[in-house]
Amino acid sequence: MSDAGTPETVATYLRLRGLKPSSSSWKRKKRIVDDDNAPFTPGRDPGTLGAVLDKLSRDSGWEITLAREDLVRQWGELAGADTAKHSEPVSLENGMLTVKCDSTAWAKNLQFMRATIMTEITLRYPQAGVKNLRFIGPDVPSWKWGPRAVPGRGPRDTYG
């Protein structure tokens, strides 16, 4: 080190640049202590896999999608085994869960059970965003596909 407290390499560099070496222009950097990353501090223990996946889904914005998938996947547990044999959720748009039933009788019976099913959905899957339920029966075939259907009777030579 030179007599001013500046290392020789720094002093040589400053002289070549035309600057006057002084001890005030060169200071040793203090090591920044990062307590969060220090070993053996609280919070450094590895988390459980479930906690890591919960944080990942929360940070990625997947909670709503996963809650909706769980609702559809566990419909049999939610509505009951017998009811699930005759009904299945087909869509969830704008808070409206549409459930298709085998017959109009099943659709009517599920309409009577609407409050019970809705309560179970809000208790088990609050992130799913279900606001209302709609039960539909079996439909007749339709040839109208998409938003721009042409009015009319449709194909007439279909069945022979």
Side-chain angles (χ1 to χ4, degrees):
M1 296 225 331
S2 65
D3 52 4
T6 307
E8 187 64 34
T9 55
V10 174
T12 305
Y13 172 76
L14 291 173
R15 273 195 304 277
L16 291 173
R17 296 283 292 170
L19 303 171
K20 186 176 181 182
S22 68
S23 61
S24 64
S25 65
W26 183 82
K27 293 181 182 178
R28 287 187 177 226
K29 290 185 180 179
K30 291 184 179 179
R31 183 175 179 204
I32 299 172
V33 178
D34 188 7
D35 290 336
D36 293 338
N37 290 328
F40 307 111
T41 56
R44 291 279 301 186
D45 293 333
T48 62
L49 183 60
V52 171
L53 290 176
D54 285 342
K55 184 178 182 325
L56 174 68
S57 66
R58 211 176 320 111
D59 293 346
S60 301
W62 297 339
E63 283 184 320
I64 295 170
T65 306
L66 291 174
R68 289 177 177 183
E69 293 295 328
D70 284 344
L71 170 66
V72 171
R73 191 173 49 85
Q74 296 175 354
W75 175 252
E77 184 180 315
L78 179 80
D82 290 338
T83 305
K85 287 179 189 174
H86 301 283
S87 65
E88 65 174 335
V90 290
S91 73
L92 177 56
E93 295 177 1
N94 300 326
M96 174 74 75
L97 177 65
T98 304
V99 179
K100 186 172 183 180
C101 302
D102 288 348
S103 66
T104 54
W106 273 102
K108 195 61 167 173
N109 284 333
L110 288 180
Q111 285 177 1
F112 292 138
M113 297 172 44
R114 177 190 310 265
T116 307
I117 294 172
M118 191 66 199
T119 303
E120 283 296 315
I121 289 172
T122 53
L123 288 176
R124 292 185 188 190
Y125 310 104
Q127 285 89 14
V130 178
K131 304 279 187 247
N132 203 356
L133 291 171
R134 179 176 166 222
F135 300 102
I136 58 173
D139 288 333
V140 295
S142 172
W143 289 274
K144 294 186 178 187
W145 302 103
R148 294 186 183 97
V150 177
R153 291 176 36 201
R156 283 169 287 288
D157 285 342
T158 306
Y159 299 112

